[in-house]
Amino acid sequence: MNIGEVAKMADLPIKTIRYYEEIGFIQPKRSANGYRSFRESDVHKLAFLGRARSLGFSIEDCRALLQLYENDTRASADVKQIAQEHLTRIDAKVKELQAMRITLSHLIEACAGDDRPTCPILSDLATLS
Amino acid sequence: MNIGEVAKMADLPIKTIRYYEEIGFIQPKRSANGYRSFRESDVHKLAFLGRARSLGFSIEDCRALLQLYENDTRASADVKQIAQEHLTRIDAKVKELQAMRITLSHLIEACAGDDRPTCPILSDLATLS
DNA sequence: CTAAAGCCTCCACCCGCTGGAGGGTCAAGC
DNA sequence: GCTTGACCCTCCAGCGGGTGGAGGCTTTAG
């Protein structure tokens, strides 16, 4: 399979697939013309990576997950730990964003949003903490 | 004032202040020895920027906000619009993270997390969508 | 035979800093 | 006067995770 077909099957941009090869996620062979030649298993790996990335796992998490995926003697505890740590990071991020959200929505509510210069949003930003 | 003092007052890393000069947020003069020489107004601007950044505004948002801040004839509507758009982006991000969170927490719950290789997390990731 | 589509490599860029190398300057203590 | 250490400077590289484009092959369709 050529890269274009694989890109459609794994639902990933061509550039991303080449990048994933560069960082060692896959090692497709080359045809005589220099084109990458992908196997079914590459498509599976790429789909796996795409799904993991869409759940927000970092590239390094993906690398670890991929290794576990390919390791028959893995312990599910190792997978769970990676996922758990990632969930913790997500929760932290959500909290951070929600804190911003609250402050911001209060400021927006307080702002007249007309043609006058007085603005509680700017006043807040200008406040020395 | 030298950069170190300013960094403490505005609660920003020195590197960040130099970067903010580089991208045109401030234009401190130079002393004879080549050191940056900051005014009170620079400290105010930097604190403003720090606060805006901590609310998640992008650098380009900050640039616009700073211009409005310094413009006596601004319309608060312009400020409000920037804030509103930013809030919308935050909401989108929160939703995205929460969707990940839900999927991920279900998978984690379903995973035994022991020394056996069977793992619903990996099974899910490997599922072709 | 030609045009378009597809593939290749390589390099630069995005954001918002951050770290480090390799240096000059200044204030305090001896 | 000299050293030490804290400051300051510039310049370059790198983070994550790709993305865009230039410039050039190859393959395929008509």
Side-chain angles (χ1 to χ4, degrees), chain B residues 15-16 19-20 33 35 53 59:
Chain B
K15 284 267 182 183
T16 300
Y19 175 66
Y20 285 173
N33 58 14
Y35 288 13
R53 293 285 301 132
I59 289 289

Side-chain angles (χ1 to χ4, degrees), chain A residues 13 15-16 19-20 33 35 53 58-59:
Chain A
K15 284 265 182 184
T16 299
Y19 174 67
Y20 285 174
N33 58 12
Y35 288 14
R53 291 288 297 132
S58 72
I59 290 288

Side-chain angles (χ1 to χ4, degrees), chain A residues 29-118:
Chain A
K29 293 195 178 129
R30 298 297 178 121
S31 306
N33 58 12
Y35 288 14
R36 288 169 182 80
S37 178
F38 295 85
R39 290 166 299 171
E40 281 295 328
S41 64
D42 293 322
V43 180
H44 269 92
K45 279 200 219 177
L46 288 169
F48 179 97
L49 290 167
R51 176 97 177 106
R53 291 288 297 132
S54 80
L55 285 178
F57 285 103
S58 72
I59 290 288
E60 285 319 302
D61 279 348
C62 287
R63 199 183 295 281
L65 290 171
L66 199 54
Q67 274 179 16
L68 289 166
Y69 178 54
E70 298 191 296
N71 176 3
D72 291 345
T73 66
R74 67 180 166 251
S76 66
D78 292 343
V79 182
K80 190 168 182 171
Q81 196 194 338
I82 292 171
Q84 186 62 64
E85 283 167 10
H86 179 43
L87 182 58
T88 303
R89 279 192 300 272
I90 287 179
D91 282 345
K93 190 75 192 166
V94 167
K95 267 196 184 160
E96 190 191 336
L97 288 175
Q98 277 174 342
M100 290 177 184
R101 213 210 93 87
I102 286 172
T103 303
L104 208 50
S105 60
H106 286 166
L107 291 175
I108 288 170
E109 259 180 71
C111 176
D114 54 20
D115 57 355
R116 287 171 301 170
T118 307

Side-chain angles (χ1 to χ4, degrees), chain B residues 5-115:
Chain B
E5 197 182 347
V6 172
K8 273 171 205 146
M9 290 174 69
D11 195 26
L12 283 175
I14 287 178
K15 284 267 182 183
T16 300
I17 295 174
R18 287 202 272 250
Y19 175 66
Y20 285 173
E21 178 187 11
E22 194 186 324
I23 63 175
F25 280 169
I26 48 171
Q27 291 93 33
K29 294 197 178 127
R30 298 297 177 123
S31 307
N33 58 14
Y35 288 13
R36 287 170 183 80
S37 177
F38 296 85
R39 289 165 300 169
E40 281 294 329
S41 65
D42 293 322
V43 180
H44 268 92
K45 278 200 217 178
L46 288 169
F48 180 96
L49 290 166
R51 176 99 177 106
R53 293 285 301 132
S54 79
L55 285 178
F57 284 104
S58 72
I59 289 289
E60 284 320 303
D61 280 348
C62 287
R63 199 184 296 283
L65 289 171
L66 199 53
Q67 274 180 15
L68 289 166
Y69 178 54
E70 298 190 297
N71 176 2
D72 291 345
T73 67
R74 68 184 165 247
S76 67
D78 292 343
V79 182
K80 189 168 184 172
Q81 195 194 337
I82 293 172
Q84 186 63 63
E85 283 167 10
H86 179 42
L87 182 58
T88 303
R89 280 193 301 272
I90 287 180
D91 283 344
K93 191 72 193 169
V94 168
K95 268 196 182 160
E96 190 191 336
L97 287 175
Q98 277 174 341
M100 289 177 184
R101 215 210 91 87
I102 286 172
T103 304
L104 208 50
S105 59
H106 288 165
L107 291 175
I108 289 170
E109 259 179 69
C111 176
D114 55 20
D115 57 355

